[in-house]
Structures are given as C-alpha cells and as structure tokens.
Amino acid sequence: MDERWSTDRVRALTSDSAVLRAAERLAEPAPWALAGAGRGAVWGLCRGGGRAPYRVVVEPAGPDWQCGCAGRQRPCRHVLGLLLLWAASPEAVPGSTEPPGWAASWLAERVPSPLEGTAHGTAPADPAAARRAERRAARVAAGAQELRLRLADRIRRGLADPGTAGGWGEVAARMVDAQAPGLAAGARELAGLTGDQQLAGIALLDLLAAAYQRVDELPEPLAATVRTRVGFTTDSAELLAGRTVRDRWLVLGSQDLPDDRLTQRRIWLHGTKTGRPALLLCYAPPGRLPELALPVGRVLEAELAYYPAAAPLRAVLGASYGVPEPGPLDPPPGCGPADAAADYGEAVAADPWQTAWPVVLSEVAVVPGPDGWLLSGGQHALPLHPDTPEAARWLLAAVSGGHPVTVFGECGHQGFRPVTVWDGTGRPSSVTPATGAAA
Amino acid sequence: MTADTAADHWSALLGTALLGTDRRPLPPPAGPPAYRAAAAELAGPDHATALLEQAALATVRRRAGLLPLPAPTGAPVPAAPDPRPELPQAAARRLTVLLAGRGGGGPANLAELLPQWLVEARSRGYRPPAALVPGLLEAARARNEVRADAVALAGPLGRWLAERNPQWRFVLRTTAAESPTEADRIWQEGLFAERVTHLTRLRRRDPAAGLALLTGSWARERAEDRLLFLDALQEGLSLADEPFLEAALDDRSKNVRATAAELLAGLPGSALGRRMARRALAAVELAADGSRLLVTPPGEVTARMRRDGVAPDSPTGRGEQAWRLGEVLAATPLDTWTGTFGLTPAQLLALPVADAADGGALWREELHEAWARAAVRQRDTGWARVLLGPAPRDGRPVRGAGAPAKLLAVLPPAERAGWTAAFLRGHGLGDAFQLLGACATPWTPPLSTAVVAALERAAASGAYPWSHSGVLGLTERSLAPATAPAVAALAADAAPDTAWAETFDRLARTLRFRAAMLAELAGPAAPG
C-alpha cells in the first residue's frame, strides 16, 4: 500500500526556495510521461528543453531518489516536481502500478536507506580544546555564583519592592556573558511570572545554579541533566557513536512550534519493545519546515541515542532499518489520570526541573469543568494546560464527541498539554496539526 | 502551629519573599515530619538563601506529588450517533486543504470551490471526520453562503459542539427547524434572517404551515420585514394563499401591496388575474378581420386598479398611457390572449399592432415588452421561447422583447445552455455574463466548448483578460470538467508570461482541482 504525501510534506524536503519554485512549475501533468507510483516508489519521465527526458525515480519513505538531470541540488526540481504532482493529483500519477524497467533496476540496486551510516570515531584528544572547556566551566561557575547572589539579593529586599520587579533582562545578559545560556533563558522566563509561580521559578533557578556549583559531586546522570539545563550542549554525532537503543519506535506525536527565528519540530516516540519514551527535536529557519517528518501512528525500526540525563527523554535518530511502516490499528496503550500524574512525579523526582512528561491517557472523556476543560477518566481527571489553544480544545472535544478517547500529550504540574488524539476507529489526529507531519 | 500544612508553609514563604527577608523573618517549617526535617536542614545563616532553598524544596515536593483532580460527577452526554458513511479518505484530505484555504498544488481559487465541495458532499450524504468538524463550523461562521451546507454536513456532532461553544450558536438555530418547539422559538425570538430562512424552508416542506405561521404574527411585523416574508411565499405558492394575499392588497405599506399584487398576478387562476384580464381585453382587441391588434390604453388608474398593484404614475417618466398599458398587460394571465383570440403566442407576436382610435402604428413595443414581463412572472415556457426567438447570429442584437437573461431563465436547462452557446458563437463574451449566469451549472459540454472558444477568440483579439473577469469567475465554478483539457491546451499555447497565459493557467488549475475534488466525492475508492 502506498500512501500519498501532503504537498506540504513534499515542500519540507527542501530548504531552497528557488528549487521549490522551479518544482512547483513542474508539478503539472504536461511535462511528465509514464508517471506512476507503486511498490513504495514514484517515477516518471520529465521532458526538458529538447534533450532526452530525465528519468526520475523517488522512494518517498527514505526519502531517496535518482534523477538524470545535471543539477546537483538534492533533491532537484524534477524530484520535487514529481512528488508535488503525485501528492496533489492522483489522476496524473496513478498509484498501484508497476515500475518501468529503469526504475525497477534502480530500486533493486540502491543502498537500503540514506539515513544509515553515520560518522563514527571520537575527536582526537586536543589539548587546546581541553583548555577551552576548562576556561568555560570556570566562567559558568562564576556566573552561577553571581546569579545566586543576585537572586538572594532580590529575596532580601522583597519581590514586591519596585526596585527588584524588573531587570531580568540584565540578569539574562550577564548569564549570556558567562556562557550559560540555560541560566539566561531561566532568568528571561522569570520576567513573565508573578507571585507563586515567580517564587517557584526563582527557587528552581537558584537550585540549578547551586547544583552546578557542585556538579562534580553529583551522580553522573543528574550531573548531565544539570549541565544540559545550564546550557552545555552535546554533539549528536558523538552521542550516536556511543550507546544506542534499537527498537521499533511508534510515533506518538509531532508538533511544530513556530518562532520568530526558528521553527522547532518535536516528535515523540514510544519504544514498542523497550517501553521507553523519546523526544526528537529538529529545527528549520522561519517559513520552512524541519526536514525530519515522521507521520503519527507509523512505526520506525531505528537506533536512537539518548542525551545523558537523570530522566532520559531527548534523543537523536541514528540508523534506521527500512521505512516508517503503518503502525497498529488500535490506539497505543495508556494509563489513567492518576498514573499519568504519578509518571510526571517520578520524572520530577529524578530531575527537579522537569515541567512535563509524555504520557498516553486511555479512556478519557473531554468534559467541561468549573475552570476549563478536563480530561476525565471516570474517577480522576486532569485539567488541560492553560496554554492549550482554543482550536486544540475544540478538536479534542470534536474527536471525543463525549465518548472516551485516547490522548497523547505532556502531563505537567500546570495541566495536560494534548498533542495527539485517537478517535473511536483508532485513527490519530494531531491536536495542533504540524503543517507537514500529520498523517 | 502543629496543624499547619506544607501548603501553609509555602504561603508563609511567599509572604516573606514578597516583603523581603530584611523586613520579615524566615517562617518556621510546617507540614509532615519528613518535610519539616528536610526544610529545617536548609535553614542556613543567610535567610534569603535559606528561603530560596526551602521554596525549591516545597516546589519540587508539590510537583513530584502531583495529584489528579476528582473526576466531575455524572457521565458526559455524548453526541448523537451519525449513521452517514464517512467521507472517502482523499475527499477528507481535500476538505482539509479547502478549509485551510491554501496548498493543493498551486494557486487554484479555493474560495470559489469550497461552496461547491460542500454542496456535493452534503448531497452525497457523507459524514466528515470528527477532527474536521470544528473547521467546518468556523467556515460556516465566517461565510454566510456556505452556512447551510456546512452545518448540514457537520451533522449531530456539529450540534453537540455548538451546544458547548457560544461562538457556534448559529448552528442550533440553523438546524433547530427540525424540532417543532425550537422552530417556534426561532420564529418568536430569532434574528430576521433566521426567521426568513425558517419560513422559506417551512414553505418548501409544508406551504400551509408556513402560511399559518406568517398569518399568526403578520399584524405585529414591521413593514420592511412583512415585505421579505411575503417574498418567501413565492415558495410553494398556490390558490390557498390567495385570501391572505388579497388581504395584503390593503396593507399599510405600499411595497407590501405591490409585492402581494405581483404574487397574485403570477398565480394561475387568481381573482386578480381575472380582473386584470378584463381590463386587458378592454385595452387590446383583435381586429374583426383578424389582421391586427388594436390597442386602447387604459384611461385612468381607478382605485380598484391601484389596489391590484397598478401604480398611478410612471416612476420613470415614460408616457402615462404606455405605463398604464404595460402595468395592466404584464399582470394579465398570458392564456387570456391565446384563449380569447384563438391564436398561438407566435401568431400573436407576428400580428401588426395599431392604435384603436386613429389606426397609427403604435404600442407594439409596449405590448411585447409587457408580454415578456408576464412570461417571466408566470414562468411560461411557451411564451418565453417565442419571445426570445432563436439566438441572434453575426453580432446582431437580440431581437425579442424583454430582458433576454430573464426570459432565458424560464426555459428548461438544456435549452438555456443551447441558446447561450449559440449566442456566444455569434456574439463572443461581450454581453454574455448575465446569460451565462442564467444557465444551470455545471455547464453542458456544448456550452462549455462555446465558452472556451469565445475565450480563445477574446485572447486572440488582444482584449485584456480582466475585462472578462466576471465570465472567468463563472467559468471557474461552472465549466464542464470534460472541457478542462481544452483550457489546459489554451494555457500551454498562450504566449508565455502574458496576462492571458496566467489567466488560462489559473483557470486550468482551478478546473483540475475541481474535477479531482468531485471525482473523490463520487467514488468511494480513494486512489492509492
């Protein structure tokens, strides 16, 4: 069975707008001959100005492709044009057909997956790099010390004091200078909080700075969490060179968070053998979509490398075996609201800065409560996160229609942030559709 | 203070944090023993630092011990089941694109296509996927013209959602007509447009009930509302409505009186029609030898004529006699002439017309014009066909009397299309907008071919595409799908980067999109 992509998903394959424009012009039946799809591939002959037509064959799931053109942009306009036509016009690129000989031979010979094979080997010991790392650690430690003094000073004078109310931007700037972007982000967030939440935020930021001051005494997973939260990054190639977890990963959710500077895509996975949750993050410049697209409900056999942490969640995708296959027809197994709250509690016990934890809620009805919508599981209920967009609430309500449904999302102390909902027939819908990734 | 809880401790910490540890002491830990002991360990010499550390402890304790809320009592009321089959997968994807108003392979005109998609999906009795219902209701909220179809398609789930979202209340009013008590509430409390819609639908289903509803509140309605309610009676008009309309001839409002008279004049067998026929036969007689029609315009507008809707003065300043003649003849049943004179409409139209007093060749135009108005009002196919005549060729003007588009609208769809196609072949697009608007959609293949040929000639003649934007808009909505390849060919042949190339390209894309979307709705088997 071949599943047609959405045109947005095709557009996400390139970040080159000129190539995309050229491809849109080719997304017409006219330039194509013998276009067809089947056996997981799409092919066609593209007539160019007077020359022999280009043979184009694409395997969208990889994605992998071959085109006879001289252009070296990958993917080229012919590949994208063919995929756009395939996505938008089933009549122009009929499915379930047999590939012609040239396409079939490429499909038979090509390497299994372009995602396979990643850089290996660790960087050679570099004394200069080691000295740089030492210098940075010292600056961050000094920053953490300064942050604690500044926070304590505010508490001494009182948060209601007009002299302490603002100035978080300046604190954040000092932390940027100290090369501690995580502490800087924490300080910036405080500006938007008041009362209860502000005190909690200040206390946890102080706790993070304090933890960094004695990071060498902490047990290793917690120390890694502290370093990551303070703002040290880990090289993903280095991670993949280390221990990886191979599993059949079920895609539970995909969400795009557009920002002024970057679009962040978050893809949540669930290891069907190991039972482990994982979160993949990828980014794209504004107006573009991130390259990695895994449709909700699909299963991908792949290696993941987790970022070291006290409650490991974020991971990078390594080698994958085959293409994302259609997953089970039933919604994923889940738990009730009480267990979801307990799951979050365990994550906080491991990592006190954790604000939410991914969880699948089973058999919950979407019902109005006194202070907004609730996900009710008979005995217990969880409130929706107050930032849940209006459209997302109504989509949840519509799919539920008053009946119990399965909802995947993040359970946190502020409420449940829904990501995916499965209807009665087991079909998933993204609650805030990720422009390219929704199935 | 042993009764204090950890929550009290947190409140005390917050109070001190707000005022400052310089001004307020660090509160003593409270709560369960383990928590108190842990907090006490954090009471270092610097009170501000101690407060922050205790606040962190309290925050993490609270989060790690997160408890769910008790579930609200009472089982949720589910939406009524929807027995309709679900939309084919491809059609559901198409709806997502249409509702988002973008994507779908280039700049096709999606705003033009959503209404058509909705009509088609509704008529095929599909149920949309639940996830798309909120989007449908939003579209219905934003666009009045798609409201009825979108709401019908949204079905019971749409109503269930509307009961919970005040922004979608209109759904309840749109669908409420099903239940008698709700219907009554709409009629008593609804907005004017909702009341008109309700009345029109009720007339369609049960004309007598509609009349009874209107009669019940008639005396209390405002004049401008009465006028539009009266218009709604056009639906299912019959002699049962005559007494009510006769009474409306004495209404306080002039416009209401005029509308009532117009409705009665279009109602076969009405007393008003008979009264008009008497006046008309006094004004027009067949010469004894049958060679011509002799006209004696009505002398003056009597009070009884005025009651029957004949305005005493010409609003346009036309000759008073001509005006009165036209008013009387246009309200006269057309079978008066064929019956009284024993002639066919064609024979009557062929007769010379003369003034009865001096024999001068007058009144022909007025007579034919009035017959045309009567043919439109009475929806008389035979008369309309003869009055319209064959489509003029070679750019000559339309021969017959009256507005051709209105007469055309009286003819059966196939005949309308044929006439308009012939007109296009002779005239091009110049005066075709209203005629095309009178044709049933989608256009027949011959009419579609004629439109494409006319567009091609217009492009070749050097005219600007925007001078035909009205026709192009109609074409996007109405062209037969089978004609799309011809448009694609025009797009391919047009000189590149010209306005016409762009116009044809956009038209071709829209047509292809439309064809694909209708095919998806027609066939349950979604292509792979």
Side-chain angles (χ1 to χ4, degrees):
Chain A
M1 180 190 133
D2 307 320
E3 190 211 29
R4 266 171 216 275
W5 285 17
S6 70
T7 49
D8 278 338
R9 195 167 157 200
V10 177
R11 289 192 184 95
L13 286 175
T14 189
S15 53
D16 185 331
S17 58
V19 170
L20 190 61
R21 271 199 305 279
E24 305 252 12
R25 282 197 293 278
L26 286 174
E28 295 287 320
W32 295 94
L34 296 177
R39 301 202 165 190
V42 188
W43 56 82
L45 294 175
C46 186
R47 284 193 292 272
R51 292 177 302 272
Y54 298 131
R55 292 169 167 184
V56 187
V57 51
V58 192
E59 194 182 49
D64 198 3
W65 52 78
Q66 190 188 48
C67 175
C69 77
R72 281 290 161 261
Q73 296 117 326
R74 284 173 57 96
C76 64
R77 63 183 191 277
H78 308 104
V79 165
L80 291 169
L82 177 63
L83 285 178
L84 284 172
L85 184 66
W86 167 67
S89 313
E91 68 284 0
V93 187
S96 307
T97 48
E98 281 298 311
W102 50 271
S105 58
W106 177 77
L107 285 168
E109 285 165 16
R110 100 220 135 74
V111 286
S113 165
L115 291 177
E116 275 181 55
T118 39
H120 284 280
T122 43
D126 176 353
R131 272 200 306 279
R132 274 202 303 279
E134 220 168 278
R135 267 206 305 278
R136 179 176 176 197
R139 290 181 73 169
V140 174
Q145 174 66 24
E146 179 185 340
L147 180 64
R148 293 204 72 192
L149 289 173
R150 282 171 175 266
L151 295 178
D153 189 48
R154 283 168 182 256
I155 295 299
R156 221 165 276 125
R157 288 192 286 154
L159 296 175
D161 187 312
T164 64
W168 292 111
E170 192 217 324
V171 177
R174 292 290 300 156
M175 292 305 109
V176 170
D177 289 346
Q179 293 184 300
L183 296 179
R188 262 193 302 272
E189 269 172 36
L190 292 174
L193 303 177
T194 53
D196 237 12
Q197 294 190 9
Q198 195 182 44
L199 178 59
I202 294 174
L204 287 177
L205 188 60
D206 180 65
L207 181 67
L208 181 58
Y212 185 73
Q213 289 181 312
R214 37 178 288 223
V215 68
D216 296 333
E217 303 163 33
L218 299 178
E220 188 35 49
L222 184 60
T225 290
V226 169
R227 281 194 205 95
T228 304
R229 293 200 177 272
V230 164
F232 288 89
T233 52
T234 312
D235 182 46
S236 57
E238 217 169 278
L239 280 180
L240 287 169
R243 210 177 81 79
T244 57
V245 180
R246 178 169 174 168
D247 202 334
R248 291 174 53 76
W249 300 96
L250 171 66
V251 183
L252 286 179
S254 178
Q255 208 165 47
D256 287 353
L257 304 171
D259 189 276
D260 294 345
R261 293 169 302 149
L262 277 180
T263 296
Q264 184 194 60
R265 174 169 293 164
R266 332 186 92 208
I267 298 173
W268 288 268
L269 304 172
H270 167 80
T272 54
K273 292 180 201 157
T274 58
R276 293 184 69 168
L279 171 63
L280 306 177
L281 298 184
C282 43
Y283 299 89
R288 291 260 140 241
L289 292 172
E291 285 189 18
L292 183 63
L294 293 174
V296 175
R298 298 245 151 182
V299 174
L300 177 67
E301 171 110 34
E303 309 264 4
L304 290 195
Y306 282 90
Y307 285 80
L313 178 63
R314 195 180 161 197
V316 285
L317 181 61
S320 52
Y321 306 92
V323 300
E325 303 161 15
L329 295 175
D330 295 324
C335 62
D339 287 340
D343 274 5
Y344 169 63
E346 268 176 45
V348 173
D351 170 356
W353 300 279
Q354 196 67 257
T355 55
W357 192 252
V359 58
V360 176
L361 285 177
S362 285
E363 295 280 311
V364 284
V366 187
V367 296
D371 305 311
W373 291 85
L374 299 171
L375 294 172
S376 173
Q379 258 193 305
H380 296 112
L382 290 171
L384 284 186
H385 193 284
D387 291 347
T388 310
E390 190 76 354
R393 292 163 201 251
W394 290 111
L395 189 139
L396 263 187
V399 172
S400 153
H403 298 284
V405 286
T406 300
V407 184
F408 167 74
E410 289 181 318
C411 181
H413 60 93
Q414 283 192 282
F416 191 89
R417 198 191 289 275
V419 175
T420 307
V421 56
W422 282 262
D423 68 12
T425 68
R427 188 179 37 186
S429 300
S430 281
V431 169
T432 46
T435 2
Chain B
M1 300 283 274
T2 45
D4 282 4
T5 63
D8 295 324
H9 181 229
W10 170 260
S11 302
L13 286 174
L14 180 61
T16 301
L18 286 172
L19 283 172
T21 47
D22 283 352
R23 275 175 264 182
R24 227 185 213 211
L26 188 66
Y35 172 71
R36 273 208 315 270
E41 268 186 48
L42 298 173
D46 177 25
H47 284 188
T49 304
L51 185 144
L52 282 176
E53 288 177 348
Q54 290 187 11
L57 175 71
T59 301
V60 173
R61 175 184 178 275
R62 203 174 41 197
R63 291 185 184 178
L66 178 74
L67 290 176
L69 303 173
T73 50
V77 181
D82 191 337
R84 298 175 293 177
E86 188 167 295
L87 273 174
Q89 213 187 353
R93 262 207 305 269
R94 185 78 60 176
L95 177 59
T96 312
V97 169
L98 285 167
L99 289 174
R102 62 187 193 85
N109 196 343
L110 301 183
E112 291 276 6
L113 293 172
L114 177 64
Q116 219 173 40
W117 189 95
L118 290 171
V119 169
E120 189 71 14
R122 178 189 181 179
S123 75
R124 291 184 180 274
Y126 282 124
R127 162 174 58 91
L132 294 180
V133 171
L136 268 179
L137 296 183
E138 277 301 296
R141 189 162 74 93
R143 293 177 66 179
N144 242 326
E145 82 273 22
V146 305
R147 188 170 283 189
D149 289 315
V151 165
L153 201 62
L157 181 57
R159 279 200 297 284
W160 184 86
L161 285 168
E163 282 161 12
R164 285 152 182 83
N165 186 344
Q167 300 233 287
W168 295 334
R169 273 294 142 78
F170 65 86
V171 172
L172 303 177
R173 294 194 293 260
T174 315
T175 58
E178 321 303 330
S179 101
T181 50
E182 270 297 292
D184 195 49
R185 208 174 56 80
I186 287 186
W187 184 250
Q188 300 305 336
E189 302 164 22
L191 303 175
F192 175 66
E194 292 162 1
R195 301 181 67 207
V196 171
T197 309
H198 175 57
L199 178 62
T200 309
R201 287 178 168 199
L202 187 56
R203 281 289 288 187
R204 202 169 298 156
R205 213 172 52 230
D206 184 353
L211 180 65
L213 187 68
L214 185 55
T215 313
S217 64
W218 182 250
R220 296 192 304 275
E221 308 290 356
R222 297 180 311 160
E224 55 268 42
D225 295 358
R226 289 205 302 278
L227 183 63
L228 286 170
F229 287 140
L230 210 50
D231 254 351
L233 291 189
Q234 186 80 58
E235 189 75 52
L237 189 69
S238 77
L239 282 176
D241 302 313
E242 193 181 16
F244 176 79
L245 291 172
E246 274 285 340
L249 290 176
D250 300 315
D251 196 90
R252 294 188 302 281
S253 153
K254 189 173 126 201
N255 287 332
V256 171
R257 292 199 298 270
T259 304
E262 198 166 324
L263 284 172
L264 284 170
L267 179 62
S270 73
L272 182 137
R274 286 196 299 277
R275 294 196 292 273
M276 281 299 181
R278 267 202 308 280
R279 293 173 190 130
L281 288 173
V284 179
E285 56 182 332
L286 188 63
D289 61 357
S291 65
R292 52 190 184 151
L293 292 170
L294 299 171
V295 173
T296 316
E300 61 175 316
V301 178
T302 62
R304 300 189 65 92
M305 283 168 77
R306 207 171 308 169
R307 181 174 181 274
D308 284 346
V310 180
D313 304 306
S314 158
T316 58
R318 272 170 62 190
E320 294 297 323
Q321 284 188 319
W323 163 256
R324 289 196 293 269
L325 179 67
E327 287 290 281
V328 168
L329 298 187
T332 300
L334 285 163
D335 58 12
T336 307
W337 311 108
T338 45
T340 309
F341 299 151
L343 296 172
T344 65
Q347 290 168 323
L348 283 163
L349 276 164
L351 282 177
V353 182
D355 188 85
D358 60 11
L362 286 174
W363 310 122
R364 181 176 182 276
E365 209 179 302
E366 284 79 1
L367 182 62
H368 288 187
E369 185 74 34
W371 279 343
R373 280 164 64 197
V376 171
R377 204 183 274 184
Q378 295 163 32
R379 308 200 65 74
D380 190 312
T381 317
W383 276 88
R385 188 177 294 130
V386 176
L387 282 158
L388 202 52
R393 303 253 163 190
D394 312 326
R396 274 178 295 161
V398 182
R399 176 184 63 96
K406 286 188 182 171
L407 285 171
L408 197 59
V410 176
L411 298 183
E415 208 175 328
R416 262 183 268 167
W419 197 93
T420 307
F423 179 89
L424 283 169
R425 282 192 288 272
H427 282 253
L429 299 171
D431 301 309
F433 177 69
Q434 287 184 326
L435 298 172
L436 285 169
C439 289
T441 59
W443 292 338
T444 61
L447 176 58
S448 299
T449 307
V451 170
V452 173
L455 282 170
E456 190 176 6
R457 286 202 304 277
S461 77
Y464 294 115
W466 41 90
S467 45
H468 298 297
S469 55
V471 171
L472 285 164
L474 283 179
T475 307
E476 284 180 345
R477 259 171 291 165
S478 322
L479 201 70
T483 326
V487 175
L490 281 185
D493 291 346
D497 296 328
T498 61
W500 277 105
E502 216 170 279
T503 302
F504 286 140
D505 189 49
R506 180 182 164 91
L507 185 57
R509 283 169 185 273
T510 305
L511 291 172
R512 203 164 49 239
F513 190 98
R514 183 163 67 101
M517 89 183 190
L518 295 178
E520 286 159 3
L521 285 169

